Amino acid sequence: MDRFGAVVATAAHPRAALQREAARAALREGAHRAEVRLDLLAPGEDRESLLALAREVPLLVSGNRYATAPQEAALLRRAQAQGAWVDLPAGPDGTPELRGLDPGRLVLSWHGTPRQAGDLRRLAARLLKSPAARVKIVLEVSCGEEALPLLDLWGSVGHGRLVAFASGYAGFFTRVLSLPRGSAAVYAAAPGGPPAAEGQPDLSDLLGLYRVLSLRPEDPVYGVAGWPLHRTGSPLLHNRWLFRLDLPGVFVPFPFRALEPLLQAAPRLNLEGLAVTMPHKAAALASAPRGGRAARRCGAANTLLFRNGSLSLAANTDLFGVRRALRRLPPFREVLLLGAGGAAAAAAAALPRGCALSVTSRDRRRAEAFARRFGARAVPWPERGRVPWDLLIQATPAGQEGEETPYPFPLQGKGVFDLVVRPGGTPLLREARERGLAAVGGEVMLEAQARLQFRLFTGRAAPR
């Protein structure tokens, strides 16, 4: 039996020629095996040309993820005849017929939701009764909590035959952590093409940014927790710093609806440091046995430190980041703050003395409580356009996606500070620049506070 390999790169183009090109590029870039997808090809594309690729590169040929059509089974048999491995879906009961395929070059795969999977250990045991050389379980998750059962599956069964990870953007962290924890392989998107499934990392990121081939089970894990967490620049910053300082560990996103399940899983994850973003900052402070002065002042924490798997300290580096960002703006006195959460608290606490602060939120009671705490004036959300300001601070999630703006009124102050991080800037920042206002994006705050976080996590200063 030829070696399957630890890193598989999937070519997901609808054209056969582009799948072939992506498969070749994947092997040049460091993948051990290339996967071509028959089910993703457009009608009329030459499927046989993909099978012939097996004579050139280590190849895995796959079709529909849930059921194999009769004509597809014939293609898989021809692929094996040319030297390829093939993927055969197990179906809901996990007891498929082998359809005349050689089990020595067969991946038996199961795709489904946590509810469909039930007890993962039982599912894995049932699938591993098959003579297939590899068994693959892909858990389709909608939030990080649903992926946690995989932590107890990796390395515990299969003896090198089991591949297991979660799909969906919330399952990304399992793809990074699966290989060092005992999964027989990990899948990535081949160069130049789209991911074959949501949450599938680019091959270059998996090998370079996340360094999966050099990760060890005992290496520390750092991450950022929030919900939703579609966009975050923290992994790029922290992983680059870890690499440049030659420090062990990896930094991954944790899209969790609630913080507590992630904290409970900290020992199994070998979690040593966690950045926290919306909406978990207040819960982060409440969960810690000890809070730093900045965290207590803001009533929120964006940084959690762990010792031997247990949460030891909640800190707030947002305050430091906001102060750095405010230095880039012209002098101001009247401030209108949109939002009343943890990020807004850091912004309010960072303002110089003598500022007149007005705060507004869609949640009126929350805005009023926030105003009492920081000596500000609470403004009803519908009336925010009537408040004069020199500086507008945007501390809501608005602007992360689409063209929504939380302030659909003329911008007539001196500057805008939008805490949202988005390539090219949010719609609010773009409008501010068009009108000639000073405009500062969340990436300024992000890098400044992340540098302090990195020092707290590792004891080392982030490289410049």
Side-chain angles (χ1 to χ4, degrees):
M1 181 184 73
D2 61 320
R3 181 174 177 270
F4 183 68
V7 178
V8 181
T10 305
H13 292 282
R15 293 180 56 194
L18 292 178
Q19 283 203 25
R20 294 196 302 272
E21 182 180 323
R24 295 184 184 108
L27 271 294
R28 291 194 298 269
E29 203 164 293
H32 300 134
R33 184 167 296 274
E35 179 186 32
V36 292
R37 289 284 299 272
L38 301 175
D39 58 319
L40 298 182
L41 290 175
E45 286 292 311
D46 183 7
R47 285 157 170 75
E48 296 291 342
S49 67
L50 290 184
L51 311 188
L53 192 61
R55 303 169 188 167
E56 183 182 337
V57 302
L59 192 68
L60 171 65
V61 179
S62 303
N64 186 281
R65 314 316 267 165
Y66 304 101
T68 303
Q71 63 273 22
E72 208 169 61
L75 282 169
L76 296 180
R77 286 193 291 271
R78 290 202 294 277
Q80 279 197 339
Q82 299 196 53
W85 281 62
V86 299
D87 184 295
L88 183 70
D93 61 359
T95 55
E97 299 176 4
L98 294 185
R99 296 179 179 265
L101 293 165
D102 174 11
R105 281 181 282 117
L106 175 64
V107 178
L108 179 63
S109 64
W110 182 94
H111 293 70
T113 65
R115 185 172 183 177
Q116 292 168 328
D119 187 315
L120 277 184
R121 283 179 174 271
R122 289 184 179 179
L123 174 62
R126 188 163 66 246
L127 294 171
L128 287 163
K129 289 179 180 178
S130 156
R134 293 289 183 275
V135 165
K136 182 175 72 169
I137 293 177
V138 181
L139 204 59
E140 299 168 350
V141 303
S142 60
C143 60
E145 293 93 318
E146 294 180 341
L148 289 177
L150 287 167
L151 300 181
D152 299 319
L153 189 65
W154 291 327
S156 63
V157 295
H159 307 291
R161 292 173 60 204
L162 181 65
V163 178
F165 55 85
S167 67
Y169 94 98
F172 180 92
F173 75 94
T174 69
R175 293 181 183 264
V176 174
L177 300 180
S178 64
L179 203 59
R181 302 301 179 90
S183 178
V186 62
Y187 285 58
E198 189 180 25
Q200 188 179 58
D202 291 333
L203 178 63
S204 59
D205 284 346
L206 192 70
L207 296 179
L209 185 64
Y210 293 98
R211 301 183 290 172
V212 295
L213 290 179
S214 62
L215 288 177
R216 301 167 300 176
E218 67 271 19
D219 284 342
V221 172
Y222 310 98
V224 54
W227 185 264
L229 202 60
H230 289 287
R231 293 180 186 270
T232 173
S234 296
L236 180 63
L237 291 172
H238 285 269
N239 283 314
R240 282 182 175 175
W241 294 333
L242 288 168
F243 174 76
R244 289 183 60 186
L245 293 176
D246 195 26
L247 294 175
V250 67
F251 189 104
V252 294
F254 290 110
F256 275 61
R257 293 182 187 272
L259 186 62
E260 185 58 29
L262 180 56
L263 300 182
Q264 291 177 358
R268 291 179 291 158
L269 284 164
N270 203 23
L271 197 61
E272 291 197 7
L274 189 65
V276 181
T277 187
M278 295 181 285
H280 301 321
K281 293 184 178 183
L285 178 60
S287 300
R290 188 163 57 98
R293 185 171 62 180
R296 295 195 306 271
R297 181 180 178 189
C298 294
N302 77 320
T303 305
L304 295 177
L305 304 180
F306 298 80
R307 180 174 296 175
N308 299 323
S310 297
L311 180 56
S312 62
L313 175 68
N316 191 306
T317 65
D318 280 341
L319 188 59
F320 176 77
V322 171
R323 284 173 175 160
R324 286 295 180 94
L326 293 179
R327 292 179 188 176
R328 299 196 177 193
L329 292 159
F332 54 86
R333 187 180 181 281
E334 292 186 317
V335 179
L336 175 60
L337 175 60
L338 307 181
L351 292 175
R353 291 182 180 180
C355 286
L357 175 63
S358 299
V359 61
T360 183
S361 169
R362 288 183 175 87
D363 187 329
R364 178 178 60 83
R365 291 183 179 179
R366 192 175 188 186
E368 290 172 349
F370 188 100
R372 287 193 296 271
R373 184 172 164 210
F374 288 98
R377 177 168 71 105
V379 177
W381 184 256
E383 297 178 18
R384 63 196 186 284
R386 302 176 185 175
V387 179
W389 49 267
D390 299 322
L391 174 62
L392 177 66
I393 301 179
Q394 203 294 101
T396 78
Q400 290 179 334
E401 306 285 342
E403 294 303 304
E404 176 191 6
T405 175
Y407 193 82
F409 311 102
L411 300 178
Q412 298 178 339
K414 294 180 181 179
V416 173
F417 173 32
D418 194 332
L419 278 68
V420 170
V421 177
R422 177 172 172 175
T426 63
L428 180 63
L429 282 181
R430 293 198 299 268
E431 182 184 353
R433 293 182 184 122
E434 289 170 1
R435 292 179 176 271
L437 278 68
V440 175
E443 64 277 359
V444 177
M445 171 190 169
L446 172 67
E447 180 164 356
Q449 65 84 23
R451 286 184 175 278
L452 181 53
Q453 267 180 345
F454 188 83
R455 183 184 285 275
L456 292 172
F457 290 160
T458 68
R460 299 280 297 276
R464 294 288 177 180

